[in-house]
Amino acid sequence: MASRTTVLAGGIGAARFLEGLVRVVAADTVTVIGNTGDDLELHGLTVCPDLDTVTYTLAGLADPARGWGQANESFHTLDALRRFSKETWFQLGDRDLATHLFRTSLLRRGFPLSEVTRRVSRSLGVESTILPMSDHPVRTWLETDSGRLDFQTYFVKNGAKPVVRAVEFVGADQAAPASGVLEAIAQADAVIVAPSNPIISVGPIFAVPGIREALRKTAAPVLAVSPIVGGRAVKGPAAEMMTSLGYDASALAVASLYKDFLNVFVLDEADRESSAAVEELGMRAVVCPTLMTGMPQKEALAHTVMEALVS
Ligand code: GDP
């Protein structure tokens, strides 16, 4: 049987990594466990930005420049909505809206998010399995110097500028892993934590009771790719957020956050000098280029990762 790879994923960083991975291993052997802490209700619709970023990317539909939404998108509905509502700061393209309409109608009929996500991804031609971390709603809220903000108000409306003092995953303590999540970790031949924001993309996944423990217990090797390169996030607020929450903004700090379950940590050449300190945490350090600037770099990173997992 082909070996099975399970990937814990946020949005853009994870999607980039997955694009390379499915060129190195068979796409149908990959299971993605996605963050739903960023989900929101908008105009009566349930929107799942991270799941959709991963889905559109694996379906070959993603907009390569923006990193979110679909390519060749139009925004006529949003333009028309502006005549009725001021709540139009969250960009929703016309094609993207079809996903949210379909998803919301199935959720209202009582289907769990995992089943809805399966139907969305299959309909769009995705061969990998995409699972939400939980079928229960979990929502990321941030205590900031501009007050308590839900994730998208912080991230999109306020451009991720407010200083984050604390993070809360509302609903997580009552949530359970979605059907298939614990099995995907326990039965995998390899588990990868994608280069995603450790606080707000991977953090919500670990807030769901049982998931982190499953990572500690799995017989499969667990590897993470650093989202922090040379003390900075490649994209987004990960570095600032780590600093304001009292961590170092460094690859080593990310390895340290994951040290209870990690066997291998992949860090960028820019952070080579941290590799000994990473190994002192009790894991193997692999140094390679991790900037996924194009498909060759994405594929090369996926190759290195898969090699590190078998060696
Ligand atoms: P979001 O929910 O869309 O913000 O997605 P993620 O959390 O998956 O992605 C954001 C994280 O991915 C940031 O911390 C980035 O530093 C990281 N990231 C994005 N592109 C790259 C890349 O090319 N290489 C590495 N190593 N990290 C990346």
Coordinates of all heavy atoms in Angstrom, one line a residue, residues 153-231:
T153 N -11.6 40.2 11.8 CA -11.6 41.7 12.0 C -10.2 42.1 12.3 O -9.7 43.2 11.8 CB -12.5 42.0 13.2 OG1 -13.8 41.6 12.9 CG2 -12.5 43.5 13.5
Y154 N -9.4 41.3 13.1 CA -8.0 41.7 13.3 C -7.2 41.6 12.0 O -6.5 42.5 11.6 CB -7.4 40.7 14.3 CG -5.9 40.5 14.2 CD1 -5.0 41.4 14.7 CD2 -5.4 39.3 13.6 CE1 -3.7 41.2 14.6 CE2 -4.1 39.2 13.5 CZ -3.2 40.1 14.0 OH -1.8 39.9 13.9
F155 N -7.4 40.5 11.2 CA -6.5 40.1 10.1 C -6.8 40.9 8.9 O -5.9 41.5 8.3 CB -6.6 38.6 9.9 CG -5.5 38.1 9.0 CD1 -4.2 38.0 9.5 CD2 -5.8 37.7 7.7 CE1 -3.2 37.4 8.7 CE2 -4.8 37.2 6.9 CZ -3.5 37.0 7.4
V156 N -8.1 41.0 8.5 CA -8.5 41.6 7.2 C -8.9 43.0 7.4 O -8.3 43.9 6.8 CB -9.6 40.8 6.5 CG1 -10.0 41.4 5.2 CG2 -9.1 39.3 6.3
K157 N -9.8 43.2 8.4 CA -10.3 44.6 8.5 C -9.3 45.5 9.1 O -9.1 46.7 8.6 CB -11.5 44.6 9.5 CG -12.4 45.9 9.4 CD -13.6 45.7 10.3 CE -14.6 46.9 10.0 NZ -15.8 46.7 10.8
N158 N -8.5 45.1 10.0 CA -7.4 45.9 10.6 C -6.0 45.6 10.1 O -5.0 46.0 10.7 CB -7.4 45.8 12.1 CG -8.7 46.4 12.7 OD1 -8.8 47.6 12.6 ND2 -9.5 45.6 13.3
G159 N -5.9 44.8 9.0 CA -4.6 44.5 8.3 C -3.6 43.9 9.2 O -2.4 44.1 9.1
A160 N -4.0 43.1 10.2 CA -3.1 42.4 11.2 C -2.2 43.4 11.9 O -1.1 43.1 12.3 CB -2.3 41.3 10.5
K161 N -2.6 44.7 12.1 CA -1.8 45.7 12.7 C -1.9 45.7 14.2 O -0.9 46.0 14.9 CB -2.1 47.1 12.1 CG -1.7 47.2 10.7 CD -1.5 48.7 10.2 CE -1.1 48.7 8.8 NZ -2.2 48.4 7.9
P162 N -3.0 45.5 14.8 CA -3.1 45.6 16.3 C -2.1 44.6 16.9 O -1.8 43.5 16.4 CB -4.5 45.2 16.6 CG -5.3 45.5 15.4 CD -4.4 45.2 14.2
V163 N -1.5 45.1 18.0 CA -0.6 44.2 18.8 C -1.4 43.2 19.6 O -2.3 43.5 20.3 CB 0.3 45.1 19.7 CG1 1.2 44.2 20.5 CG2 1.1 46.1 18.9
V164 N -1.0 41.9 19.3 CA -1.7 40.8 20.0 C -1.2 40.5 21.3 O 0.0 40.2 21.5 CB -1.7 39.5 19.1 CG1 -2.4 38.4 19.7 CG2 -2.3 39.8 17.7
R165 N -2.0 40.5 22.4 CA -1.6 40.3 23.7 C -2.0 38.9 24.2 O -1.4 38.3 25.1 CB -2.2 41.3 24.7 CG -1.8 42.7 24.4 CD -0.4 43.0 24.7 NE 0.0 44.3 24.3 CZ 1.3 44.6 24.0 NH1 2.2 43.8 24.0 NH2 1.6 45.9 23.6
A166 N -3.0 38.3 23.7 CA -3.5 37.0 24.1 C -4.3 36.4 23.0 O -4.9 37.1 22.2 CB -4.3 37.0 25.4
V167 N -4.4 35.1 22.9 CA -5.2 34.4 21.9 C -6.1 33.4 22.6 O -5.7 32.7 23.5 CB -4.2 33.6 20.9 CG1 -5.0 32.9 19.8 CG2 -3.2 34.6 20.3
E168 N -7.3 33.4 22.0 CA -8.3 32.4 22.6 C -9.0 31.7 21.5 O -9.4 32.3 20.5 CB -9.3 33.3 23.4 CG -10.2 32.5 24.3 CD -11.4 33.4 24.8 OE1 -11.3 34.7 24.7 OE2 -12.4 32.9 25.3
F169 N -9.2 30.4 21.7 CA -9.9 29.6 20.7 C -11.3 29.2 21.3 O -11.4 28.2 21.9 CB -9.1 28.4 20.4 CG -7.7 28.7 19.9 CD1 -6.6 28.3 20.7 CD2 -7.5 29.5 18.8 CE1 -5.3 28.7 20.3 CE2 -6.2 29.8 18.4 CZ -5.1 29.5 19.1
V170 N -12.2 30.1 21.0 CA -13.5 30.0 21.6 C -14.2 28.7 21.0 O -14.3 28.5 19.8 CB -14.4 31.2 21.3 CG1 -15.8 31.1 21.9 CG2 -13.7 32.5 21.9
G171 N -14.7 27.9 22.0 CA -15.4 26.7 21.6 C -14.5 25.4 21.5 O -15.0 24.3 21.4
A172 N -13.2 25.7 21.6 CA -12.3 24.5 21.4 C -12.5 23.5 22.5 O -12.4 22.3 22.3 CB -10.8 25.0 21.4
D173 N -12.7 23.9 23.8 CA -12.8 22.9 24.8 C -14.0 22.0 24.7 O -14.0 20.9 25.2 CB -12.7 23.6 26.2 CG -13.6 24.8 26.4 OD1 -14.2 25.2 25.4 OD2 -13.6 25.4 27.5
Q174 N -15.0 22.5 24.0 CA -16.2 21.6 23.8 C -16.1 20.9 22.4 O -16.9 20.1 22.1 CB -17.5 22.4 23.7 CG -18.1 22.6 25.1 CD -17.9 24.1 25.5 OE1 -18.3 24.9 24.8 NE2 -17.2 24.3 26.7
A175 N -15.0 21.2 21.7 CA -14.9 20.6 20.3 C -14.3 19.2 20.4 O -13.5 18.9 21.3 CB -14.1 21.5 19.4
A176 N -14.6 18.4 19.4 CA -13.9 17.1 19.2 C -13.3 17.1 17.9 O -13.8 17.8 17.0 CB -15.0 16.0 19.3
P177 N -12.2 16.3 17.7 CA -11.7 16.2 16.3 C -12.7 15.7 15.4 O -13.6 14.8 15.7 CB -10.5 15.2 16.5 CG -10.3 15.1 18.0 CD -11.5 15.5 18.7
A178 N -12.7 16.2 14.1 CA -13.7 15.7 13.1 C -13.4 14.3 12.9 O -12.3 13.8 13.0 CB -13.5 16.5 11.9
S179 N -14.4 13.6 12.4 CA -14.3 12.2 12.0 C -13.1 12.0 11.1 O -13.0 12.7 10.1 CB -15.7 11.8 11.4 OG -15.5 10.7 10.7
G180 N -12.3 11.1 11.4 CA -11.1 10.8 10.5 C -9.8 11.5 11.0 O -8.8 11.0 10.5
V181 N -9.9 12.5 11.8 CA -8.7 13.3 12.1 C -7.7 12.4 13.0 O -6.5 12.3 12.6 CB -9.1 14.6 12.9 CG1 -7.9 15.2 13.6 CG2 -9.7 15.6 11.9
L182 N -8.2 11.8 14.0 CA -7.3 11.1 14.9 C -6.8 9.8 14.2 O -5.6 9.5 14.3 CB -8.0 10.7 16.2 CG -8.4 11.8 17.1 CD1 -9.1 11.3 18.4 CD2 -7.3 12.7 17.5
E183 N -7.6 9.2 13.3 CA -7.2 8.1 12.6 C -6.1 8.5 11.6 O -5.1 7.8 11.4 CB -8.4 7.5 11.8 CG -9.5 6.9 12.6 CD -10.4 7.9 13.2 OE1 -10.2 9.1 13.1 OE2 -11.4 7.5 13.8
A184 N -6.3 9.7 11.0 CA -5.3 10.1 10.0 C -3.9 10.3 10.6 O -2.9 10.2 10.0 CB -5.8 11.4 9.3
I185 N -3.9 10.7 11.9 CA -2.6 10.9 12.6 C -2.1 9.5 13.1 O -0.9 9.2 12.8 CB -2.8 11.8 13.8 CG1 -3.2 13.2 13.3 CG2 -1.5 11.9 14.6 CD1 -3.6 14.2 14.4
A186 N -3.0 8.7 13.6 CA -2.5 7.4 14.2 C -2.1 6.4 13.0 O -1.1 5.7 13.2 CB -3.6 6.8 15.0
Q187 N -2.8 6.5 11.9 CA -2.5 5.5 10.9 C -1.6 6.0 9.8 O -1.3 5.3 8.8 CB -3.8 5.0 10.2 CG -4.7 4.2 11.3 CD -6.1 4.1 10.9 OE1 -6.5 4.4 9.7 NE2 -7.0 3.7 11.8
A188 N -1.1 7.2 9.9 CA -0.2 7.8 8.9 C 1.2 7.1 8.9 O 1.6 6.5 10.0 CB 0.0 9.3 9.1
D189 N 1.9 7.1 7.8 CA 3.3 6.7 7.8 C 4.2 7.9 8.0 O 5.3 7.7 8.4 CB 3.6 6.1 6.4 CG 2.8 4.8 6.2 OD1 3.0 3.9 6.9 OD2 1.8 4.9 5.3
A190 N 3.6 9.1 7.9 CA 4.4 10.3 8.2 C 3.4 11.4 8.5 O 2.4 11.5 7.8 CB 5.3 10.7 7.0
V191 N 3.8 12.3 9.4 CA 2.9 13.4 9.7 C 3.8 14.7 9.6 O 4.9 14.7 10.0 CB 2.4 13.4 11.2 CG1 1.5 14.6 11.5 CG2 1.5 12.1 11.4
I192 N 3.2 15.7 8.9 CA 3.9 16.9 8.7 C 3.1 18.1 9.2 O 1.9 18.2 8.9 CB 4.2 17.1 7.2 CG1 5.0 16.0 6.6 CG2 4.9 18.5 6.9 CD1 5.0 15.9 5.1
V193 N 3.8 19.0 9.9 CA 3.2 20.3 10.3 C 3.7 21.3 9.3 O 4.9 21.5 9.2 CB 3.5 20.7 11.7 CG1 2.8 22.0 12.1 CG2 3.1 19.7 12.7
A194 N 2.8 21.8 8.4 CA 3.1 22.7 7.3 C 3.8 24.0 7.9 O 3.6 24.3 9.0 CB 1.9 23.0 6.5
P195 N 4.5 24.7 7.0 CA 5.0 26.0 7.4 C 3.8 27.0 7.5 O 3.6 27.8 6.6 CB 6.0 26.4 6.3 CG 5.5 25.6 5.1 CD 4.9 24.4 5.6
S196 N 3.2 26.9 8.7 CA 2.0 27.8 8.9 C 2.2 28.5 10.2 O 3.0 28.1 11.1 CB 0.7 26.9 9.0 OG 0.4 26.4 7.8
N197 N 1.5 29.6 10.4 CA 1.6 30.4 11.7 C 1.4 29.5 12.9 O 0.3 28.9 13.0 CB 0.6 31.5 11.6 CG 0.7 32.5 12.8 OD1 0.9 32.1 13.9 ND2 0.6 33.8 12.5
P198 N 2.4 29.3 13.8 CA 2.2 28.4 14.9 C 1.1 28.8 15.9 O 0.5 28.0 16.6 CB 3.6 28.3 15.6 CG 4.3 29.6 15.1 CD 3.7 29.9 13.8
I199 N 0.9 30.1 15.9 CA -0.1 30.6 17.0 C -1.5 30.5 16.4 O -2.4 30.0 17.1 CB 0.2 32.1 17.3 CG1 1.7 32.3 17.6 CG2 -0.7 32.6 18.4 CD1 2.2 31.8 18.9
I200 N -1.8 31.1 15.3 CA -3.1 31.2 14.8 C -3.6 30.3 13.7 O -4.7 30.3 13.3 CB -3.4 32.7 14.4 CG1 -2.3 33.2 13.5 CG2 -3.7 33.6 15.6 CD1 -2.7 34.4 12.7
S201 N -2.6 29.5 13.1 CA -3.0 28.5 12.1 C -2.9 27.1 12.7 O -3.8 26.3 12.6 CB -2.2 28.7 10.9 OG -2.4 29.9 10.2
V202 N -1.8 26.8 13.3 CA -1.6 25.5 13.9 C -2.2 25.5 15.3 O -2.8 24.5 15.8 CB -0.1 25.1 13.9 CG1 0.1 23.7 14.5 CG2 0.5 25.2 12.5
G203 N -2.1 26.6 16.0 CA -2.6 26.7 17.4 C -4.1 26.3 17.6 O -4.3 25.5 18.5
P204 N -5.0 26.7 16.7 CA -6.4 26.2 16.9 C -6.5 24.7 16.7 O -7.3 24.1 17.4 CB -7.1 27.0 15.7 CG -6.2 28.1 15.3 CD -4.8 27.7 15.6
I205 N -5.7 24.1 15.8 CA -5.8 22.7 15.6 C -5.4 22.0 16.9 O -6.1 21.0 17.3 CB -4.9 22.2 14.4 CG1 -5.2 23.0 13.1 CG2 -5.0 20.7 14.2 CD1 -4.4 22.6 11.9
F206 N -4.4 22.5 17.6 CA -3.9 21.8 18.8 C -4.9 22.1 20.0 O -4.8 21.5 21.0 CB -2.5 22.3 19.2 CG -1.5 21.7 18.3 CD1 -0.3 22.4 18.0 CD2 -1.7 20.4 17.7 CE1 0.6 21.8 17.1 CE2 -0.7 19.9 16.9 CZ 0.4 20.6 16.6
A207 N -5.7 23.2 19.8 CA -6.7 23.5 20.9 C -7.8 22.5 20.9 O -8.5 22.4 21.9 CB -7.2 24.9 20.7
V208 N -8.0 21.7 19.8 CA -9.0 20.7 19.8 C -8.6 19.5 20.7 O -7.5 18.9 20.3 CB -9.4 20.3 18.4 CG1 -10.5 19.2 18.4 CG2 -9.8 21.5 17.6
P209 N -9.3 19.2 21.7 CA -8.8 18.1 22.6 C -8.5 16.8 21.9 O -9.3 16.4 21.1 CB -10.0 17.9 23.6 CG -10.7 19.2 23.6 CD -10.6 19.8 22.2
G210 N -7.3 16.3 22.1 CA -7.0 14.9 21.6 C -6.0 15.0 20.4 O -5.3 14.0 20.1
I211 N -6.0 16.1 19.7 CA -5.1 16.1 18.5 C -3.6 16.2 18.8 O -2.9 15.4 18.3 CB -5.5 17.3 17.6 CG1 -7.0 17.1 17.1 CG2 -4.5 17.4 16.4 CD1 -7.4 18.1 16.0
R212 N -3.3 17.0 19.8 CA -1.8 17.1 20.1 C -1.4 15.8 20.7 O -0.3 15.3 20.5 CB -1.6 18.2 21.1 CG -0.2 18.6 21.3 CD 0.0 19.9 22.0 NE 1.4 20.2 21.9 CZ 1.9 21.4 21.5 NH1 1.1 22.4 21.2 NH2 3.2 21.6 21.5
E213 N -2.3 15.2 21.6 CA -1.9 13.9 22.2 C -1.7 12.8 21.1 O -0.8 12.0 21.2 CB -3.1 13.5 23.1 CG -2.7 12.5 24.1 CD -3.9 12.1 25.0 OE1 -5.0 12.5 24.8 OE2 -3.6 11.2 25.8
A214 N -2.6 12.9 20.1 CA -2.5 11.9 19.0 C -1.1 12.0 18.3 O -0.5 11.0 17.9 CB -3.6 12.1 18.0
L215 N -0.6 13.3 18.2 CA 0.7 13.5 17.5 C 1.8 12.9 18.4 O 2.8 12.4 17.9 CB 0.9 15.0 17.4 CG 0.3 15.6 16.1 CD1 0.7 17.1 16.1 CD2 0.7 15.0 14.9
R216 N 1.6 13.1 19.7 CA 2.6 12.5 20.6 C 2.7 11.0 20.6 O 3.7 10.4 20.7 CB 2.3 12.9 22.1 CG 2.7 14.3 22.4 CD 2.7 14.6 23.9 NE 2.2 15.9 24.2 CZ 1.0 16.3 24.7 NH1 0.2 15.3 25.2 NH2 0.7 17.5 24.9
K217 N 1.5 10.4 20.3 CA 1.4 8.9 20.4 C 1.6 8.2 19.1 O 1.9 7.0 19.1 CB -0.1 8.6 20.9 CG -0.3 8.7 22.4 CD -1.5 8.0 22.7 CE -2.0 8.2 24.1 NZ -3.4 8.2 24.2
T218 N 1.5 8.9 18.0 CA 1.6 8.2 16.7 C 2.9 7.5 16.5 O 4.0 8.1 17.0 CB 1.2 9.1 15.5 OG1 1.3 8.3 14.3 CG2 2.2 10.2 15.4
A219 N 2.9 6.4 15.9 CA 4.2 5.7 15.6 C 4.9 6.3 14.4 O 6.1 6.1 14.2 CB 3.9 4.2 15.3
A220 N 4.1 7.2 13.7 CA 4.7 7.8 12.5 C 5.7 8.9 12.9 O 5.5 9.6 13.9 CB 3.6 8.4 11.6
P221 N 6.8 9.1 12.1 CA 7.6 10.3 12.4 C 6.8 11.6 12.2 O 6.0 11.6 11.2 CB 8.8 10.1 11.4 CG 8.3 9.2 10.3 CD 7.2 8.4 11.0
V222 N 7.1 12.6 13.0 CA 6.4 13.9 12.9 C 7.4 14.9 12.6 O 8.4 15.1 13.3 CB 5.6 14.2 14.2 CG1 4.8 15.5 13.9 CG2 4.7 13.1 14.6
L223 N 7.2 15.7 11.5 CA 8.2 16.7 11.0 C 7.4 18.0 10.9 O 6.2 18.0 10.5 CB 8.7 16.2 9.6 CG 9.6 17.1 8.8 CD1 10.5 16.3 7.9 CD2 8.8 18.1 8.0
A224 N 8.1 19.1 11.2 CA 7.5 20.4 10.9 C 8.5 21.2 10.1 O 9.7 21.1 10.2 CB 7.3 21.2 12.2
V225 N 7.9 22.1 9.2 CA 8.8 23.0 8.4 C 8.6 24.4 9.0 O 7.4 24.8 9.3 CB 8.3 23.1 6.9 CG1 9.2 24.1 6.2 CG2 8.4 21.7 6.3
S226 N 9.7 25.1 9.3 CA 9.6 26.4 10.0 C 8.9 27.4 9.1 O 9.3 27.6 7.9 CB 11.0 26.9 10.3 OG 10.9 28.1 10.9
P227 N 7.9 28.1 9.6 CA 7.4 29.3 8.9 C 8.2 30.5 9.1 O 7.9 31.6 8.5 CB 6.0 29.4 9.5 CG 6.2 28.9 10.9 CD 7.3 27.9 10.9
I228 N 9.1 30.5 10.0 CA 10.0 31.6 10.3 C 11.3 31.4 9.7 O 12.0 30.4 9.9 CB 10.1 31.8 11.9 CG1 8.8 32.0 12.6 CG2 11.1 33.0 12.2 CD1 8.1 33.3 12.3
V229 N 11.7 32.4 8.9 CA 13.0 32.3 8.2 C 13.8 33.6 8.5 O 13.3 34.7 8.2 CB 12.7 32.2 6.6 CG1 14.0 32.3 5.8 CG2 11.9 31.0 6.3
G230 N 15.0 33.4 9.1 CA 15.8 34.5 9.4 C 15.1 35.5 10.3 O 15.3 36.7 10.2
G231 N 14.4 35.0 11.3 CA 13.7 35.8 12.3 C 12.5 36.5 11.8 O 11.9 37.4 12.5

